[in-house]
Amino acid sequence: MIRLLIVDDEEIITEGLFEVLKQLNLGLDLYKAYSGEEALELMNRTRVDIVLSDIRMPGMDGLELMTNIRSHWPHCKIVFLTGYNDFDYIYQAIQTPGVRYLLKSEGYDKIIKAVTGAITELENSLKFHNLVNQSREKLTTLETLAQGNYFRYLLQGERAAEQLERDFRHLGIALDPTLPVLVAIGNLQRTNGMHQSYAESQEYALAVKFLAESFLTERTQSLGVIDRYGDLVWLIQPQPGHGMDAGDAYPRAVTFLEGQFELIQQASKDSLGLTFAITLCAEPCEWNQLSAVYDRIRSQQHMRAGDGALMVQTVNMETIETAALSRSLREKAEALAVHLEGGRKEGFLVVLEELAALTFDDHRNRSPFLLELYYTIALLLLSYINRWELHDKVGTKGLMQRDMHASWTESFDYLKQIAESLFELRSCGEKNRAAAAIGKIRSFIEAHIGEDLSLVRLAGVIHFNPSYLSRLFKQECGVNLSDYIDEVRMEKAKELLKQDELKIAEVGARLGYETHHSFTRFFKKLTGLTPLEYRESLRK
């Protein structure tokens, strides 16, 4: 939500602008200040996006306020108002980017136009494509990271060719999702043997990726990504032509890659001080086999002879089923953790059912995998029970004792029951905390009805950000926070007006209104009567 602050030492102008902008329903979070010092105090506590300010005020004037705004919130838009046609002030104001200048005599239409223009500028500046245009020099690295994330997504399961085609086009991947792909993994090492930080390993991997592109583009289409272990993974397809038959393309490509990777290794050693071993699948795989082949290559990579520096080895696609099952179990277990962390019950239960189906779908002996899977999920659930301190509410007697359950089906049903209990307790806890927070806000409003009840101050009471408090209050109470404050003020006003010994001005002062006419305007807007008329109606 965009926050707009009105600053003017003349209360009637401040109140008038506040009412006009409030009635326009521009989706603004509105605030008022009656001096530059008061405005600055607010901006020390929260972000302000637009300031509508008098340029000449006692104490801190508008130009001094502008200097402070720039140091706090440099993207804040400023609209200056003045009744003085003072050239020096105008000249200084218009020299600053993001600042508009209006005479008060120009009327509300011009002011509204200036405010809506500032809103448009703010909204445009937040659009993603503008941010990307400002960071164009980093696009290649960002694209590489995005493609790496997508590669990890591909390893989680099968994808339809149509979906792959759309994704490839969107991410700038120059591979054909209808053709098989060769897979290679490179494990990078520094020649001096020094330990690398995460940032350094990412930087080196990117450098090798960019270097390799110049060697691979002559005969192949390739995608180089960085996997979760910091290793480089290449997905490669031969380019059509070059005098090769379709059946000969992939074997020739493997030979080409073996030679090119040797050159890449040497170039990396000479120019970057890096050595790395390459493990290349000797046969192309379909996209739905990618995760199994990737695991097969990784397992073979760790069985290399010697230190592997400058080694290029090839592996075949035999015996990949065990690797495929192991990866599927591991990836889905990680998905369970993500759903549990995010409180997504339905997603968690769907993945759990998929795991059960995966392990019970044939008659072969899979007890080792089932045992690994059971304890993986049990440890995950136990971790969250410990973190949320739910030992007294969730029974865990049989959680880490698989042999207490009569069958595998009973074991996984038990895990499902534990998970459902966790989600239910979490949901109840969130609802209770929300109700407690809103109850605290309502009590605070009633106890401080004559004080500043801005969204920023109320948010500070429960240490939430203002926008979230506004949304949470509406969600819990069914009314806007500002409307609720008006209701409480009105009830308090009616209660005080019953006391004849209090003057109308005194009643308004107790409710936070500094002037008689401000209170009168508020009361009549909500009741249709002035405070005096209401008091007289009580007497009758």
Side-chain angles (χ1 to χ4, degrees):
M1 182 179 289
I2 293 176
R3 298 190 185 123
L4 183 145
L5 172 63
I6 304 167
V7 188
D8 200 305
D9 59 304
E10 296 183 52
E11 183 186 357
I12 191 169
I13 294 176
T14 305
E15 296 289 342
L17 287 171
F18 185 93
E19 290 296 328
V20 168
L21 293 174
K22 184 178 180 180
Q23 292 171 9
L24 290 175
N25 293 321
L26 297 174
L28 295 170
D29 192 8
L30 297 172
Y31 295 90
K32 297 176 284 187
Y34 301 99
S35 67
E37 292 82 356
E38 187 179 346
L40 193 58
E41 181 184 351
L42 175 70
M43 285 187 288
N44 285 333
R45 290 186 283 138
T46 189
R47 184 195 80 248
V48 174
D49 305 301
I50 304 173
V51 172
L52 187 60
S53 174
D54 189 6
I55 202 168
R56 282 192 183 232
M57 295 180 290
M60 181 185 294
D61 65 12
L63 296 179
E64 187 179 351
L65 176 62
M66 177 180 69
T67 302
N68 283 288
I69 291 172
R70 285 287 174 259
S71 65
H72 284 76
W73 308 105
H75 300 294
C76 179
K77 306 298 180 184
I78 303 172
V79 180
F80 277 131
L81 304 172
T82 185
Y84 298 86
N85 194 358
D86 189 314
F87 177 81
D88 290 336
Y89 273 87
I90 298 173
Y91 182 80
Q92 291 182 61
I94 63 176
Q95 296 306 304
T96 306
V99 175
R100 292 174 170 81
Y101 178 91
L102 296 173
L103 292 173
K104 292 180 180 178
S105 58
E106 292 186 89
Y108 285 131
D109 288 343
K110 284 289 185 68
I111 295 173
I112 293 168
K113 184 177 180 181
V115 169
T116 54
I119 293 172
T120 301
E121 289 180 14
L122 285 167
E123 290 174 342
N124 288 338
S125 69
L126 294 175
K127 289 182 180 177
F128 179 73
H129 68 83
N130 285 340
L131 298 177
V132 172
N133 289 336
Q134 295 168 18
S135 306
R136 180 60 60 181
E137 69 279 3
K138 298 181 180 179
L139 183 57
T140 303
T141 300
L142 290 173
E143 186 177 76
T144 299
L145 296 175
Q147 291 170 348
N149 289 333
Y150 182 68
F151 171 73
R152 290 186 281 277
Y153 164 74
L154 285 179
L155 294 181
Q156 295 177 11
E158 297 183 12
R159 313 293 172 200
E162 296 79 9
Q163 180 184 347
L164 290 177
E165 186 176 359
R166 290 194 300 271
D167 292 343
F168 285 10
R169 186 168 58 250
H170 182 72
L171 292 169
I173 297 174
L175 296 174
D176 188 337
T178 65
L179 295 177
V181 63
L182 294 164
V183 184
I185 300 179
N187 178 247
L188 275 63
Q189 303 171 18
R190 291 297 305 274
T191 53
N192 58 15
M194 292 181 62
H195 172 72
Q196 299 174 12
S197 68
Y198 174 80
E200 288 173 332
S201 64
Q202 293 284 302
E203 182 180 348
Y204 294 140
L206 283 170
V208 173
K209 166 192 154 58
F210 297 143
L211 177 65
E213 286 176 353
S214 61
F215 288 86
L216 299 179
T217 53
E218 182 182 351
R219 295 286 183 91
T220 66
Q221 297 283 4
S222 66
L223 170 66
V225 297
I226 304 171
D227 70 6
R228 59 184 297 184
Y229 305 102
D231 290 338
L232 270 166
V233 180
W234 284 276
L235 306 179
I236 305 164
Q237 292 174 334
Q239 287 186 3
H242 300 290
M244 292 186 291
D245 297 328
D248 194 35
Y250 283 94
R252 290 281 299 273
V254 171
T255 303
F256 169 78
L257 291 171
E258 288 176 335
Q260 293 302 95
F261 275 126
E262 288 179 338
L263 295 177
I264 295 167
Q265 287 172 329
Q266 191 60 52
S268 297
K269 182 179 179 181
D270 295 342
S271 60
L272 301 173
L274 293 169
T275 64
F276 60 95
I278 287 288
T279 307
L280 169 66
C281 187
E283 305 165 56
C285 70
E286 301 297 332
W287 288 98
N288 59 11
Q289 297 176 296
L290 182 60
S291 61
V293 171
Y294 170 78
D295 273 350
R296 171 66 178 158
I297 296 174
R298 284 204 64 85
S299 65
Q300 192 68 28
Q301 184 184 48
H302 295 302
M303 298 177 185
R304 64 194 178 203
D307 62 5
L310 304 182
M311 179 183 73
V312 178
Q313 66 171 333
T314 57
V315 298
N316 57 43
M317 290 180 58
E318 296 175 359
T319 64
I320 65 172
E321 182 183 3
T322 299
L325 179 59
S326 178
R327 158 162 289 281
S328 182
L329 296 181
R330 188 167 63 253
E331 295 286 355
K332 289 184 181 296
E334 291 176 359
L336 288 178
V338 171
H339 287 307
L340 188 57
E341 182 71 34
R344 296 187 289 272
K345 177 181 177 180
E346 295 303 321
F348 183 97
L349 295 179
V350 167
V351 175
L352 189 59
E353 292 293 338
E354 290 176 356
L355 281 170
L358 184 67
T359 51
F360 302 146
D361 62 355
D362 61 35
H363 302 292
R364 282 171 286 182
N365 180 16
R366 290 187 168 177
S367 293
F369 294 105
L370 290 170
L371 195 62
E372 176 188 352
L373 176 61
Y374 176 86
Y375 281 112
T376 297
I377 300 172
L379 281 171
L380 171 66
L381 296 174
L382 182 61
S383 172
Y384 281 86
I385 291 170
N386 290 338
R387 189 192 306 180
W388 298 340
E389 300 180 353
L390 298 173
H391 309 86
D392 57 333
K393 298 179 181 178
V394 179
T396 60
K397 182 179 179 181
L399 188 58
M400 301 308 295
Q401 295 175 288
R402 214 296 302 174
D403 54 2
M404 287 184 61
H405 308 291
S407 66
W408 286 112
T409 300
E410 185 178 318
S411 299
F412 282 89
D413 285 343
Y414 174 74
L415 293 178
K416 181 179 178 181
Q417 292 170 16
I418 295 291
E420 289 177 333
S421 297
L422 278 175
F423 281 111
E424 184 177 351
L425 289 168
R426 173 172 175 156
S427 178
C428 291
E430 290 171 350
K431 291 178 181 177
N432 292 339
R433 286 189 291 274
I438 296 305
K440 187 174 182 180
I441 288 296
R442 294 173 68 159
S443 298
F444 185 88
I445 290 170
E446 292 167 6
H448 301 81
I449 193 63
E451 303 174 14
D452 168 32
L453 292 177
S454 65
L455 190 56
V456 170
R457 186 185 183 192
L458 293 175
V461 173
I462 54 174
H463 309 292
F464 288 175
N465 61 303
S467 300
Y468 183 74
L469 170 58
S470 178
R471 186 167 66 253
L472 182 64
F473 193 95
K474 178 67 177 291
Q475 178 181 311
E476 290 292 312
C477 301
V479 296
N480 292 324
L481 181 55
S482 58
D483 293 337
Y484 176 77
I485 294 172
D486 285 347
E487 289 176 9
V488 175
R489 277 206 175 101
M490 180 54 62
E491 291 303 315
K492 187 65 175 178
K494 290 179 178 179
E495 179 185 329
L496 294 174
L497 286 170
K498 294 177 182 178
Q499 304 176 29
D500 288 340
E501 67 274 12
L502 289 177
K503 296 180 179 179
I504 300 296
E506 291 176 326
V507 173
R510 291 194 183 188
L511 296 174
Y513 292 96
E514 297 182 4
T515 62
H516 175 273
H517 68 267
S518 296
F519 172 55
T520 299
R521 185 167 58 248
F522 159 77
F523 196 92
K524 187 170 184 178
K525 180 181 177 182
L526 268 67
T527 66
L529 301 172
T530 66
L532 182 59
E533 290 170 343
Y534 177 79
R535 174 172 278 177
E536 290 175 349
S537 69
L538 292 177
R539 291 171 180 165
K540 293 178 182 179

